[in-house]
Amino acid sequence: MGHCLLVHGFLDAEECAALIDAAEARGFVGAGSDYPPSYRNNDRQVLDDDALARRLFERLRAYAPERLVDADGAGWRLHALNERLRLCRYRPGQRFNIHQDGVHHRGADERTRLTFMIYLTDGDAFDGGDTVFYAQGPQGGIDDAPPVVARVRPRAGLLIVFDHTLWHAGEAVTRGVKHILRSDLLYRRETPAPVAAPAAFSPGHEGYVWSLARLRDGRIVSSGRDAAIRLWSPEGVLQARLLGHRQSVLSVCEVGRDRLASVSRDRCLRWWDLRSGECVREVVAHEAAVLSLLRFDDGRLASGGADARIALWSQDGEPVGDLHGHRGWVWSLCRLDAHRLLSASEDGELRLWDAQSRSCLAMWNGTTPLRSVDARVHPASDGLHCIAIGDIDGRVRLFELHGDRFIALRDWPAHDAAVRRVRWLDDGRLVSCGEDGRVRLWSLECDGHVAERRHANFATDAIELADGRLLSCGYDGELRFDAMG
Ligand SMILES: O=C(O)CCC(=O)C(=O)O
Ligand SMILES: [Fe+2]
């Protein structure tokens, strides 16, 4: 188990009250469209305050580990408290589900490693709201929590510092209001980053990599939380960084020769010229994060958003209509043929749409939020589609599409945590990526996976390179194509 330490009375009661008053005066923002309700629904306020971060850091120095050592021997020195302070408020019914905290990168040699959290309200003032630590991540889904290893009852002024990698949750508050102040401890690498292993594209991204795409000429595109899109040669040499988005880039797709489109948490859809690396068009596409993107053969696009909408775009990037029906985040889209597409949503629904008539042709409704969908044409049949979906419980399900009907074939527990991606490979095998860090390859003739690779954090995407190797990426910032054992 990683670091975890508690410091009682880190702030006194007046300091806590002053922080709460100032935060309430500035106002909180609901989790609304920025986080799926299955993740967290508490209110938050981001405050960039250098001076306050420095004062807190001076007080903290005596307690926090000065040096961390990785499994590979690399040493990291405590450097600062992230000045991006986050004040969080939980009212009755609000919680933060089981999760690991995200790493924030500042260049290759500086990153956050430990979470810094001060309870501002005393546990006497509210019911529920404990911070709970678990032995491992969710195995059978988010509602089916693993064994609890520690529980912390909030006390005003109590500081808790712990490893980002510990699985934890803020339990629902059932009465009263809980406030916390949250930041992270930045560490600096003692010796510069080692050259990446030869079986990786280098350098990867600063922080999470969200998605991968292979262009028709064999080049690779990756997108990440660092708001950058990276263009790679087929051999993994970085050719360009496309900069312009202001937040995580969640999906990219080729829209023509040397043309790329991308969508981001910043709500925008952008078009890029890959020769110049310039953004040639930008539109605000959704009223919330844009999560998914696809292209029809004639150049039209469809984008799916956290506003539950699927928006359709002409070749010229003009909005041409919406597909309405989902009630949750549209995480994933997949093209079937000239006019039809599939969508998978946080509301648990897999939907088949006709983009021409803008109607929903079929729906399958599961009980758990869906994260990814992919389809392929059965080679032995006349246009019969085989569909795979992945859900938040780690399950993968297969369907055949008969006319406008989904026929369920089979389903199995593919991961010990949410599935982030399913993709069919050209040879008919299926690859899945999970929040258990695993990339798994499935052959439908066999039971169980036929190969596996592990990332140090959530695995988010995998695609086949032109030479048949599998490139995968994840929250560890890496793009890897080593052999799968
Ligand atoms: O409120 C809590 O107890 C946990 C909060 C948390 O995990 C976070 O803000 O990352
Ligand atoms: Fe957390």
Side-chain angles (χ1 to χ4, degrees):
M1 188 154 152
H3 288 272
C4 185
L5 65 96
L6 292 168
V7 183
H8 284 277
F10 185 76
L11 295 184
D12 64 31
E14 289 74 48
E15 288 171 315
C16 291
L19 282 167
I20 294 175
D21 289 348
E24 288 289 350
R26 281 186 303 264
F28 282 86
V29 197
S33 60
D34 280 338
Y35 292 88
S38 57
Y39 183 57
R40 70 169 181 88
N41 63 356
N42 58 330
D43 306 327
R44 196 163 90 156
Q45 175 185 112
V46 174
L47 175 69
D48 290 323
D49 189 334
D50 260 322
L52 178 56
R54 268 201 298 272
R55 283 205 305 280
L56 293 170
F57 185 62
E58 283 320 309
R59 234 184 251 194
L60 167 82
R61 272 213 107 119
Y63 309 105
E66 188 53 44
R67 187 164 185 264
L68 300 176
V69 183
D70 288 345
D72 64 5
W76 295 77
R77 288 261 160 218
L78 178 60
H79 175 63
L81 181 68
N82 186 358
E83 73 285 353
R84 172 143 298 188
L85 307 174
R86 280 139 285 165
L87 288 129
C88 308
R89 179 179 68 186
Y90 299 75
R91 288 170 293 144
Q94 294 183 329
R95 65 187 153 56
F96 199 147
N97 262 325
I98 180 166
H99 66 283
Q100 292 173 309
D101 286 331
V103 182
H104 168 66
H105 294 248
R106 292 205 178 151
D109 297 318
E110 187 175 326
R111 68 183 61 164
T112 67
R113 304 286 302 255
L114 305 183
T115 299
F116 169 101
M117 198 165 99
I118 307 173
Y119 302 100
L120 301 178
T121 342
D122 200 78
D124 290 344
F126 57 89
D127 293 335
D130 286 0
T131 307
V132 178
F133 291 87
Y134 301 93
Q136 63 204 27
Q139 304 277 300
I142 208 102
D143 297 323
D144 191 9
V148 171
V149 290
R151 171 180 290 276
V152 177
R153 182 71 197 144
R155 288 289 155 219
L158 170 63
L159 165 72
I160 176 165
V161 171
F162 59 90
D163 232 288
H164 280 344
T165 55
L166 293 181
W167 286 95
H168 63 285
E171 282 189 338
V173 165
T174 54
R175 175 192 65 88
V177 181
K178 163 185 164 186
H179 288 93
I180 61 167
L181 173 94
R182 165 78 165 82
S183 183
D184 335 80
L185 293 180
L186 282 156
Y187 282 76
R188 268 200 180 157
R189 206 190 283 271
E190 287 174 340
T191 43
V195 256
F201 284 20
S202 171
H205 281 258
E206 290 174 10
Y208 310 167
V209 190
W210 280 96
S211 74
L212 299 171
R214 192 174 102 202
L215 306 184
R216 263 168 289 183
D217 63 11
R219 286 183 296 171
I220 305 294
V221 177
S222 61
S223 73
R225 192 190 191 198
D226 54 9
I229 298 167
R230 290 178 191 232
L231 179 66
W232 308 85
S233 77
E235 296 75 35
V237 177
L238 183 61
Q239 296 187 328
R241 288 167 73 223
L242 311 182
L243 299 174
H245 277 298
R246 289 166 290 272
Q247 283 177 278
S248 287
V249 184
L250 281 93
S251 189
V252 290
C253 88
E254 186 174 23
V255 289
R257 204 176 149 70
D258 285 311
R259 282 286 157 125
L260 192 78
S262 61
V263 292
S264 160
R265 203 191 252 305
D266 68 14
R267 305 174 180 214
C268 292
L269 168 55
R270 283 178 178 253
W271 284 261
W272 305 86
D273 181 337
L274 291 180
R275 282 162 310 188
S276 64
E278 298 291 320
C279 175
V280 292
R281 182 173 169 81
E282 177 189 23
V283 294
V284 178
H286 288 259
E287 283 156 27
V290 199
L291 309 165
S292 46
L293 182 65
L294 70 73
R295 175 186 187 273
F296 287 104
D297 282 340
D298 63 4
R300 284 172 306 153
L301 298 178
S303 59
D307 55 4
R309 228 163 34 94
I310 298 170
L312 301 170
W313 307 89
S314 71
Q315 289 99 321
D316 309 322
E318 295 299 326
V320 291
D322 281 351
L323 305 178
H324 286 285
H326 279 301
R327 289 160 290 110
W329 292 34
V330 183
W331 278 110
S332 183
L333 295 175
C334 162
R335 185 188 67 90
L336 276 191
D337 44 41
H339 301 298
R340 293 187 306 163
L341 70 150
L342 294 165
S343 59
S345 161
E346 185 76 13
D347 63 17
E349 292 171 358
L350 166 68
R351 283 177 179 255
L352 170 68
W353 304 88
D354 183 331
Q356 199 83 317
S357 63
R358 288 182 215 149
S359 52
C360 179
L361 304 175
M363 184 177 88
W364 175 86
N365 193 349
T367 52
T368 48
L370 302 182
R371 286 293 152 83
S372 183
V373 56
D374 196 29
R376 76 187 284 262
V377 177
H378 235 290
S381 76
D382 199 18
L384 183 69
H385 282 97
C386 197
I387 297 163
I389 57 173
D391 75 10
I392 199 178
D393 278 356
R395 242 170 216 283
V396 168
R397 288 173 195 274
L398 300 185
F399 299 88
E400 267 173 9
L401 187 63
H402 291 242
D404 286 343
R405 276 189 318 128
F406 294 117
I407 307 294
L409 295 182
R410 53 190 269 217
D411 65 274
W412 69 96
H415 290 273
D416 289 338
V419 177
R420 274 304 184 88
R421 190 84 59 178
V422 284
R423 280 198 200 266
W424 293 104
L425 302 184
D426 291 342
D427 64 5
R429 287 180 301 169
L430 182 75
V431 59
S432 61
C433 302
E435 293 191 354
D436 55 3
R438 294 182 163 95
V439 178
R440 285 181 158 163
L441 199 54
W442 309 87
S443 168
L444 302 187
E445 287 83 50
C446 321
D447 273 343
H449 56 276
V450 292
E452 165 175 304
R453 171 189 300 160
R454 291 197 69 164
H455 279 264
N457 203 323
F458 299 174
T460 52
D461 203 354
I463 56 167
E464 208 167 358
L465 297 175
D467 62 9
R469 284 174 307 174
L470 200 68
L471 179 73
S472 61
C473 63
Y475 274 17
D476 55 10
E478 292 190 346
L479 289 93
R480 289 169 45 190
F481 57 87
D482 49 329
M484 293 186 60

